[in-house]
Amino acid sequence: MTTRGRRRRGGGHTVPGENGSSIVAAEVDVVVVGAGFSGLYLLHRLRLLGFSTKVVDAADDVGGTWYWNRYPGARCDIPTTDYSYSFDPEFELEWTWSEKYATQPEILSYLRHVADRYDLRRDIEFSTRIESAAWDESASRWRLRTDRGEQVSCRFYVMASGCLSLPKAPDIEGADQFRGAVYFTSKWPHENVDFTGKRVAVIGTGSSGIQSIPLIAAQGAQLIVFQRTANFSIPARNGPPSAERLAALTTDRAAYREAAKWSRGGVPGEITEVSGATATEEIRRERFEAAWEAGELLEILGVFNDLMLNPVANEVVAEMIRERIRSVVVDPDTAETLCPRDHPFGTKRPCLDTNYFKTYNLPHVRIVDLRKHPIAAITESGLDTNDESFEFDAIVYATGFDAMTGPVVAVDITGRDGVTLREKWMDGPSTYLGLTTAGFPNFFTITGPGSPSVLSNMAVSIEQHVDWIVDCLDRLRARGFETIEPTSVAEAGWNQHVEDCAAITLYPTADSWYMGANVPGKPRVFLPYVAGVDAYRAACDEVAAKDYLGYRFAGPGGLHCNDGVIRRLQPDVAMVLEAMAAMELPPIESMSVAEARTFMQAVEAERPPGPEVGEIIDGVMSGAAQGLDYRLYRPASPGPHPIVAYFHGGGWVLGSLDSDDPFCRDLCARSDTVIVSVNYRHAPEARFPAAADDAFAAVRWIAAHAIELGGIAGQLAVAGWSSGANVAAVACQLARDAGGPDILGQVLLTPVTDAVMSRPSYEDNADGYVMTAALMQWFWDHYADLADRSEPKASPLRGELSNLPPALIVTAEFDPLRDEGVAYAEALASAGVPVRHLLARGHIHTSLTMVDVVLSGADLRAQMGETVQSFFPATVLA
Ligand SMILES: Cc1cc2nc3c(=O)[nH]c(=O)nc-3n(C[C@H](O)[C@H](O)[C@H](O)COP(=O)(O)OP(=O)(O)OC[C@H]3O[C@@H](n4cnc5c(N)ncnc54)[C@H](O)[C@@H]3O)c2cc1C
């Protein structure tokens, strides 16, 4: 590597050629594949730091996307004020965009200007394709081959090869038979294409189809559009750049660009608190109209905070867009064909258009729905569907790309130990931060899978990736290291996080190119990182700040590895914790009991209510010493049903029938059982063993009154959360010792099972995850004297555990109580009790009860519901 600040032109070394000859391989610090937005900026930055760099592109000029996609109507769909470089404020002042959404020629001339202004072309080799790259372990270098037979050796290899640069080949029988003109939007000819007087077919109605169709229709004598999937599109309302955006940009350019970097999608904008699921019709319409008028994708995608999370909210917007389509397209059948119905809005990239839907009102334009009339074959003169033959002069394929992974694995890349990237990614890509992948040292991807990429304004994402990589290489060099590679632990953790983020959204429900679903045989994996440009940048910054957490460095500087996982909490749990931290609430244990109860009630009032159930009845039952309030939840299905006696959480001090209400509704709906939630006596007014005694009394009362409650005699289980799980477990032990009532199962969610507070989870998770070690101490102190705490009635782990009902024990990874829950599961299993243990990965003590807030808990709650059902004889449920 060259030394800092001193620039060196690439050197060369001799390698064996194919017939025993010798070839001089160019030797540089960095090879960059691609001379689009990414490659150009990367070259500029690497040069400034003195890295010898060679950029290679298959095109014969710079521009990437904007070099290739020259079809009529090609434009960006992020406002050009934002879809621009921001790295050089001086340069920014030199360039003025003429339109809100610039055309392809204008963006291409912008990128050409960048190449000239920064004198980049001299290090770019055009009309050259990289075909293979192999890691040479002995030299710690990459050996690359081009389609011209050249060899290049480099220390670092960067694929700035684009996410949408490998067109998807048409998978239609007879595609090569057609004798007329054939065009691909993604490889449009450089010379003018004139459709005047021509009969034209356009196959595909994604972004490129939607942009080009109105212009092709304006020229052609006849246009037939073949649509597989109807897509959502909103009017671009193109014109001069938005005065509002320009004003914000020119008033304080630095602040505007900084806001973009820390925004969700890479464009500054409001983040709404309005839920589409619960807003009034008036607010829904008002917000939709404003977004519709703005003509910006990120505006409409941000119209509600739950648009991409909640099907109800999503359908509100989807239907409003369909209304608009119906109001524009005159023929009702055509309008229905154009109305998207097979995916939630936004789960496939929505489009921005100019007169797209209106085009179908022209007499010479027609749409064919390929779902109803699939293409049988392309013929010499046109195309046959299953029931009609068409003749054309030209066919335009707007059939999209093998997105994100396609261009990367198109190169034959071989890493350590001869493993190829194609093999490694066979079941879907695996990356650390979407930047690097284990087993492939010194290899980087720009806007790769696992980064915000195509879900963001890519100009912002590209600059962020380039900056991160260049800073990393600079630091690596300064510390005398030659190689960098992510660890498999860090990579697995990131992949999991990317998947967790997608799993709580509606995105994976669509057969989209984000999922690889448009390419036959491609694994179905949600490719981009959905949590946002801001969350992503924070993760990358944190990795660097933690001395490159999860990376292994090696070289003359020795070995360095700070292994670990950057994001371990479920994304929605992390959001809850961040929101709470922002409120700077006092710790509960610093409050009086009365204050703590008032505080909890205030928090409860703000929650979503939980699902509807058939019926909810409040009543009073007899407890150990006094009457106890209870709340009964009855499923909507016809009864009678088995019954679950439920005990709320709250450390024996807090909690009430209201505190666990959403969770009880959820358990009732999912398990199809009657839930009887019991308000046992609380400490400090009624200390140990009042709560435990009440729990046992409640179980007896419920068993005795099962039929009156709409239950089935003998079909009883218990459930509880935290301290409620503690008394539920105790009730099982007491019932066994008393010879009844029969309890068929116990569900213990993050239970308190032992007063000992020295297990590792108490140290690992002492603070920061709502339930703290200090709070648990406060609960114990209010509940029981020290001498009583080791009693099995307080610490059921200390009791006799044989002959207890089958148990489901759910523990949360970031919970001080985790290990005592695990210990209880293990001890029950050792005592011969059938036990199922679920570890809620990335969850905290409280998160699984946060119904409709922490969506990532839904799957575990579903498993709780199923387990409850499994406690009861199947015949009863039938
Ligand atoms: C029609 C269209 C409109 C778009 N509009 C927007 C928008 O409005 N906003 C937005 O954020 N994004 C948009 N995008 C995404 C766009 O791809 C990115 O914004 C951006 O241009 C990507 O730049 P890049 O340099 O990373 O990749 P690209 O521009 O795709 O450049 C990659 C280059 O790598 C070259 N290459 C690939 N493999 C090899 C190889 N093996 N050997 C040699 N060369 C190779 C290709 O020839 C290509 O020139 C759009 C994409 C398309 C297709």
Side-chain angles (χ1 to χ4, degrees), residues 269-567:
E270 169 216 34
I271 292 187
T272 183
E273 293 297 318
V274 177
S275 149
T278 57
T280 61
E281 185 58 17
E282 194 188 346
I283 303 251
R284 286 170 171 173
R285 289 235 165 244
E286 202 177 282
R287 291 195 59 80
F288 175 80
E289 298 291 338
W292 186 261
E293 287 307 315
E296 288 191 22
L297 280 184
L298 292 172
E299 285 280 322
I300 198 147
L301 286 166
V303 69
F304 299 128
N305 67 354
D306 49 359
L307 180 78
M308 298 311 296
L309 304 173
N310 187 327
V312 175
N314 192 283
E315 182 55 22
V316 168
V317 173
E319 189 48 32
M320 287 183 186
I321 298 178
R322 287 185 210 114
E323 274 174 19
R324 297 300 175 119
I325 296 173
R326 290 187 203 108
S327 73
V328 171
V329 179
V330 175
D331 174 50
D333 290 342
T334 304
E336 279 320 302
T337 304
L338 288 163
C339 279
R341 298 198 174 278
D342 72 342
H343 63 280
F345 171 66
T347 53
K348 290 187 174 203
R349 191 180 180 88
C351 309
L352 281 185
D353 71 271
T354 303
N355 297 331
Y356 174 64
F357 292 111
K358 233 167 138 177
T359 300
Y360 293 95
N361 294 337
L362 297 171
H364 66 292
V365 178
R366 191 185 142 192
I367 188 156
V368 174
D369 183 350
L370 294 179
R371 307 247 171 184
K372 289 188 186 146
H373 311 284
I375 296 178
I378 308 268
T379 62
E380 283 187 9
S381 57
L383 181 163
D384 291 347
T385 62
N386 62 348
D387 62 351
E388 208 173 340
S389 284
F390 299 87
E391 300 219 325
F392 300 113
D393 303 307
I395 297 182
V396 174
Y397 289 99
T399 40
F401 300 90
D402 181 348
M404 297 191 72
T405 51
V408 182
V409 296
V411 177
D412 200 2
I413 302 173
T414 311
R416 266 189 215 289
D417 306 321
V419 176
T420 67
L421 195 61
R422 255 174 239 147
E423 285 161 356
K424 181 176 172 186
W425 287 9
M426 198 148 50
D427 297 326
S430 172
T431 73
Y432 185 34
L433 301 174
L435 279 163
T436 49
T437 185
F440 296 78
N442 294 3
F443 171 65
F444 296 91
T445 49
I446 307 277
T447 62
S451 76
S453 189
V454 290
L455 294 181
S456 66
N457 170 6
M458 291 191 63
V460 169
S461 290
I462 285 168
E463 285 192 333
Q464 186 266 342
H465 262 191
V466 168
D467 290 342
W468 194 95
I469 292 170
V470 174
D471 290 349
C472 169
L473 297 192
D474 191 29
R475 288 207 224 168
L476 201 73
R477 176 175 62 179
R479 291 166 67 178
F481 294 116
E482 281 179 341
T483 62
I484 172 172
E485 185 184 347
T487 69
S488 47
V489 168
E491 184 167 311
W494 184 254
N495 290 335
Q496 185 65 66
H497 175 61
V498 170
E499 196 183 319
D500 288 345
C501 291
I504 55 173
T505 71
L506 300 172
Y507 281 103
T509 62
D511 282 341
S512 63
W513 57 259
Y514 298 143
M515 287 289 288
N518 63 328
V519 178
K522 192 166 172 173
R524 297 284 176 104
V525 175
F526 190 74
L527 298 167
Y529 178 63
V530 80
V533 160
D534 48 352
Y536 178 74
R537 181 180 291 270
C540 290
D541 288 357
E542 211 176 304
V543 165
K546 288 184 170 160
D547 205 2
Y548 290 92
L549 179 73
Y551 279 106
R552 193 179 299 115
F553 293 169
L559 274 175
H560 164 80
C561 183
N562 178 21
D563 203 1
V565 170
I566 186 69
R567 292 282 178 263

Side-chain angles (χ1 to χ4, degrees), residues 632-785:
L632 181 145
Y633 302 82
R634 197 183 311 289
S637 63
H641 303 91
I643 302 183
V644 173
Y646 178 83
F647 302 95
H648 64 75
W652 308 282
V653 177
L654 310 174
S656 64
L657 295 181
D658 292 334
S659 66
D660 292 27
D661 188 73
F663 183 64
C664 287
R665 287 165 176 262
D666 194 77
L667 189 61
C668 170
R670 290 181 190 278
S671 64
D672 201 34
T673 53
V674 166
I675 307 291
V676 181
S677 174
V678 181
N679 200 24
Y680 51 90
R681 281 171 296 160
H682 294 144
E685 295 86 350
R687 284 168 63 85
F688 174 83
D693 287 342
D694 277 351
F696 180 45
V699 167
R700 290 171 62 172
W701 186 88
I702 292 167
H705 296 81
I707 291 170
E708 293 150 55
L709 296 171
I712 302 161
Q715 304 296 328
L716 176 67
V718 297
W721 168 42
S722 189
S723 57
N726 168 275
V727 297
V730 170
C732 289
Q733 296 187 8
L734 297 176
R736 175 203 54 198
D737 297 344
D742 270 354
I743 299 175
L744 301 189
Q746 47 181 330
V747 173
L748 309 179
L749 171 59
T750 56
V752 184
T753 71
D754 192 7
V756 167
M757 296 171 70
S758 58
R759 291 184 173 82
S761 56
Y762 259 99
E763 200 170 313
D764 299 347
N765 310 313
D767 202 8
Y769 302 113
V770 182
M771 167 61 90
T772 63
L775 180 59
M776 199 57 220
Q777 186 67 58
W778 188 80
F779 284 143
W780 272 117
D781 291 345
H782 280 300
Y783 181 50
D785 293 342

Side-chain angles (χ1 to χ4, degrees), residues 28-47 51-58 123-126 128-130 142 144 146 152-162 411 442-446 462 466 469-470 473:
V28 286
D29 292 334
V30 191
V31 166
V32 176
V33 182
F37 254 101
S38 306
L40 294 178
Y41 178 46
L42 190 52
L43 172 58
H44 172 64
R45 281 230 47 202
L46 286 167
R47 251 199 210 162
F51 286 94
S52 62
T53 305
K54 184 184 179 77
V55 176
V56 180
D57 200 305
D123 284 324
I124 308 177
E125 189 170 329
F126 293 111
T128 306
R129 182 169 289 281
I130 296 291
W142 282 95
L144 275 51
T146 74
V152 190
S153 152
C154 56
R155 177 76 72 212
F156 301 102
Y157 169 41
V158 188
M159 288 293 274
S161 45
V411 177
N442 294 3
F443 171 65
F444 296 91
T445 49
I446 307 277
I462 285 168
V466 168
I469 292 170
V470 174
L473 297 192

Side-chain angles (χ1 to χ4, degrees), residues 150-223:
E150 293 163 318
Q151 303 195 19
V152 190
S153 152
C154 56
R155 177 76 72 212
F156 301 102
Y157 169 41
V158 188
M159 288 293 274
S161 45
C163 293
L164 302 171
S165 60
L166 184 69
K168 202 192 110 189
D171 49 351
I172 308 171
E173 200 184 318
D176 54 348
Q177 300 294 308
F178 184 62
R179 293 265 176 83
V182 174
Y183 302 99
F184 293 87
T185 52
S186 51
K187 271 194 185 161
W188 203 259
H190 288 206
E191 60 278 7
N192 186 34
V193 176
D194 188 358
F195 292 112
T196 307
K198 302 265 167 52
R199 297 161 305 164
V200 186
V202 172
I203 302 179
T205 52
S207 285
S208 304
I210 283 178
Q211 284 186 333
S212 60
I213 283 165
L215 292 165
I216 296 174
Q219 284 186 339
Q222 180 204 72
L223 171 64

